[in-house]
Amino acid sequence: MAKHLTLLIFIAVFSATFGSPNFTFNNRYFPPNFKLGAATAAYQIEGAWNEDGKGVNLWDWYTHTYPERIKHNFTGDIACDSYHKWRDDVELLKNLGASHYRLSISWSRILPNATINNINEKGVEYYINLFKALRENNIEPMVTLYHWDLPITLHEMGGWLNPLLADYFADYARLCFEKFGEYVKSWITLNEPQSTCLGGYAEGTKAPGYTHIGEGLYQCAYVHVLAHAKAFHIYDKEFRPAQNGRISIVLDAGWPEPATDDESDLAAAQTEREFVLGIYANPIYLGNWPEVVIKNVGQRSALEGLNRSRLPELTEEEIHFINGTSDFFCINTYSTNYFTSANTVNESIGEPSYALDKGTRSFIDPSWPSNVTWVHLVPWGFRKLLKYVHDQYNHPEVFVTENGWADLTGQLDDTERITYISEYLSSLLDAYYEDNVNVTGYTVWSLLDNFEWTNGYTQKLGLVQVNFDREERTRTPKDSYYWYQKVIETRCLVDECVE
């Protein structure tokens, strides 16, 4: 108790200099059924990349084929070695008091060739043992079917640009529901399609490194929403009656704040929301692509001399099939940007470009605390994002499936992380109590320091430090782990909360 008290006093003093100016913490309790947990993903922690019958996946191939594209040529071959140390992870979650653990299944670990005619039973056994252990410790497994690690055979067929992938994904999803549905009641189909489609198939900054800047994102988005809908309908019709679970998709977005109150900046911020979040959320929660996306891409495609829009047109049958395929709204978010109009929708006609289709320009406030380009301490933006999701998509239940702080050292005295998470959780409570947003859970990223994609092990987001220099991958809880443990125990962010 003395350790917690000393830590809280230090945090209060530190936050006065590091945290948001004049920030006032919400002093209400978390609602009785509100869930507080932690997250990881298979490729980022499991390791054992070629053990026990596992097939090669996209990130295995990418890190081995293009080592120069990863900081310090790191790979996820061993990562946190959670394939062998999963019992340690469960113990950490149990001691933390986590209500749930968001994790993902490695498609190629259970289907080495991506198809259901070659099931790797050792991979199936690994996940069953893990899910059983979580349940035995009163931790709900919140399971993502796909977190970026596509089996290499499907990548060789065109990956997320090939509509046939939706059928392969549907087969894989059905198998997972059959094998693991006894233990898993919260399913997520796909993680962050915007990151996959923009980074992997448009800008080339993530695996597979494609640079189809004018149409790759749109084709990838089409295949994602179709694959998601197929998996949802399979669960809804074939498994929900007996298993009584629920299913959604995880979308990712920062908060686009208009740079000024000028009408053009207000429109630019809304356009950014639709091109980043709405392009996936609109078909699922409202039906069809957002109007501004259809208009802008169609308009620029015509001016570029194309016979049809670079945005695939959804048929009426597809609109109906995709619409309504979610039981709740999952959002990953880390930062905020200001947006203004770049006036490119009718100008600069030449090479097709997603950025020119949007016609927006972004910048950040240099005073916002940050260690990396994609995470900034802007808690008011988080609150606005939660309210926007609530208002825009017909008041769904909202679940924050990822949010966390990045540093470059992984030190144990990670007070910056505590400040970030505490301010974001406070803003979440503001959204719940003041804005009537039905937000029901929060999942910190991440339980462990892990392989952060092209950043390798240079960026640390874990509550628990992992020593990647030692073969045994030693795990050591940070100050943020003990702080979060106390928050989960007391259901409160301050010394004394009120009902």
Side-chain angles (χ1 to χ4, degrees):
M1 188 66 166
K3 175 181 174 65
H4 291 306
L5 183 59
T6 302
L7 184 59
L8 288 170
I9 293 171
F10 176 70
I11 292 163
V13 175
F14 181 86
S15 297
T17 56
F18 172 78
S20 306
N22 304 314
F23 189 86
T24 301
F25 280 95
N26 191 298
N27 66 345
R28 302 287 294 274
Y29 284 104
F30 285 95
N33 296 321
F34 190 89
K35 296 179 179 179
L36 290 161
T40 61
Y43 184 77
Q44 294 178 270
I45 69 164
E46 283 182 2
W49 78 279
N50 60 353
E51 292 185 40
D52 288 347
K54 176 187 166 294
V56 174
N57 69 43
L58 178 64
W59 277 88
D60 295 327
W61 167 82
Y62 193 67
T63 57
H64 297 163
T65 306
Y66 303 106
E68 71 281 0
R69 298 183 184 180
I70 315 297
K71 291 281 183 68
H72 306 312
N73 300 339
F74 285 129
T75 73
D77 290 359
I78 302 174
C80 303
D81 198 25
S82 288
Y83 183 73
H84 301 108
K85 297 176 72 68
W86 60 269
R87 293 176 183 83
D88 295 350
D89 297 345
V90 173
E91 189 68 17
L92 285 165
L93 289 158
K94 176 184 176 183
N95 292 337
L96 182 65
S99 65
H100 65 282
Y101 179 36
R102 184 186 163 220
L103 69 161
S104 71
I105 294 171
S106 172
W107 189 340
S108 63
R109 194 176 294 284
I110 65 172
L111 295 176
N113 300 323
T115 55
I116 57 172
N117 62 350
N118 181 19
I119 299 172
N120 178 25
E121 294 298 341
K122 287 187 177 180
V124 172
E125 182 183 4
Y126 166 71
Y127 290 111
I128 287 177
N129 289 337
L130 177 53
F131 298 152
K132 277 184 177 179
L134 291 168
R135 283 290 179 191
E136 289 167 0
N137 287 282
N138 297 314
I139 302 163
E140 178 187 358
M142 190 176 197
V143 178
T144 305
L145 292 171
Y146 179 76
H147 199 124
W148 300 2
D149 46 358
L150 190 70
I152 197 64
T153 52
L154 297 181
H155 163 65
E156 291 167 348
M157 293 172 56
W160 289 102
L161 300 180
N162 186 346
L164 285 175
L165 187 54
D167 294 317
Y168 284 102
F169 180 74
D171 291 340
Y172 161 62
R174 179 183 283 109
L175 178 68
C176 289
F177 301 149
E178 289 173 351
K179 296 290 187 180
F180 310 126
E182 177 183 349
Y183 314 102
V184 179
K185 304 305 176 185
S186 291
W187 291 100
I188 293 164
T189 55
L190 304 162
N191 177 73
E192 295 188 357
Q194 173 67 4
S195 290
T196 297
C197 295
L198 181 61
Y201 293 88
E203 294 181 343
T205 56
K206 292 184 173 68
Y210 291 168
T211 53
H212 303 303
I213 195 66
E215 56 194 350
L217 182 139
Y218 305 122
Q219 179 65 17
C220 176
Y222 167 70
V223 179
H224 267 79
V225 295
L226 188 60
H228 160 77
K230 286 180 182 256
F232 177 91
H233 286 297
I234 288 170
Y235 188 79
D236 195 48
K237 294 175 182 177
E238 300 177 27
F239 297 94
R240 191 194 300 272
Q243 296 181 2
N244 196 30
R246 59 185 196 158
I247 185 168
S248 185
I249 184 173
V250 163
L251 305 181
D252 61 308
W255 173 247
E257 177 73 6
T260 70
D261 290 333
D262 185 84
E263 195 170 300
S264 65
D265 288 346
L266 294 171
Q270 182 58 27
T271 297
E272 182 72 18
R273 292 170 203 138
E274 297 287 26
F275 267 84
V276 172
L277 180 61
I279 195 170
Y280 310 96
N282 226 73
I284 294 169
Y285 294 92
L286 301 176
N288 210 350
W289 308 118
E291 289 184 12
V292 69
V293 177
I294 295 173
K295 174 175 174 271
N296 284 18
V297 181
Q299 184 172 301
R300 285 188 54 82
S301 297
L303 291 171
E304 290 157 359
L306 301 176
N307 292 327
R308 61 183 178 277
S309 175
R310 288 179 277 106
L311 177 72
E313 182 179 358
L314 294 175
T315 66
E316 286 299 319
E317 182 181 5
E318 287 173 332
I319 291 171
H320 178 74
F321 184 73
I322 297 166
N323 190 17
T325 56
S326 180
D327 296 322
F328 55 114
F329 197 110
C330 296
I331 187 76
N332 291 357
T333 186
Y334 291 89
S335 195
T336 290
N337 285 70
Y338 285 113
F339 278 86
T340 187
S341 174
N343 298 314
T344 59
V345 176
N346 295 305
E347 302 174 10
S348 304
I349 298 301
E351 289 296 319
S353 166
Y354 171 69
L356 296 177
D357 292 341
K358 290 191 300 178
T360 64
R361 182 178 294 113
S362 70
F363 63 95
I364 62 167
D365 184 331
S367 71
W368 293 342
S370 176
N371 294 312
V372 299
T373 58
W374 55 283
V375 181
H376 296 86
L377 176 62
V378 196
W380 55 262
F382 180 48
R383 177 178 175 179
K384 287 189 174 185
L385 177 63
L386 293 175
K387 188 176 189 308
Y388 175 81
V389 168
H390 173 265
D391 294 344
Q392 182 76 2
Y393 301 110
N394 295 326
H395 308 167
E397 175 195 340
V398 182
F399 205 110
V400 180
T401 36
E402 273 187 38
N403 176 248
W405 179 254
D407 62 56
L408 303 177
T409 61
Q411 71 272 17
L412 297 179
D413 55 336
D414 59 338
T415 316
E416 288 184 358
R417 176 165 294 104
I418 296 169
T419 299
Y420 177 96
I421 297 172
S422 62
E423 291 193 12
Y424 272 64
L425 282 173
S426 180
S427 295
L428 180 152
L429 289 174
D430 290 342
Y432 179 86
Y433 284 110
E434 306 300 327
D435 304 329
N436 298 313
V437 177
N438 183 27
V439 55
T440 60
Y442 176 89
T443 314
V444 68
W445 185 272
S446 173
L447 176 67
L448 306 170
D449 289 340
N450 55 53
F451 181 85
E452 281 297 332
W453 310 111
T454 56
N455 293 302
Y457 301 103
T458 65
Q459 297 183 3
K460 318 288 187 178
L461 286 97
L463 301 178
V464 176
Q465 181 190 81
V466 178
N467 188 337
F468 296 105
D469 294 327
R470 296 182 65 87
E471 184 177 348
E472 60 268 31
R473 295 301 197 263
T474 308
R475 288 144 161 75
T476 307
K478 304 176 186 178
D479 286 350
S480 60
Y481 175 93
Y482 296 109
W483 170 84
Y484 195 45
Q485 182 185 60
K486 190 67 175 177
V487 170
I488 293 172
E489 177 189 347
T490 63
R491 316 284 295 175
C492 178
L493 292 172
V494 296
D495 289 338
E496 292 186 16
C497 276
V498 296
E499 296 291 347

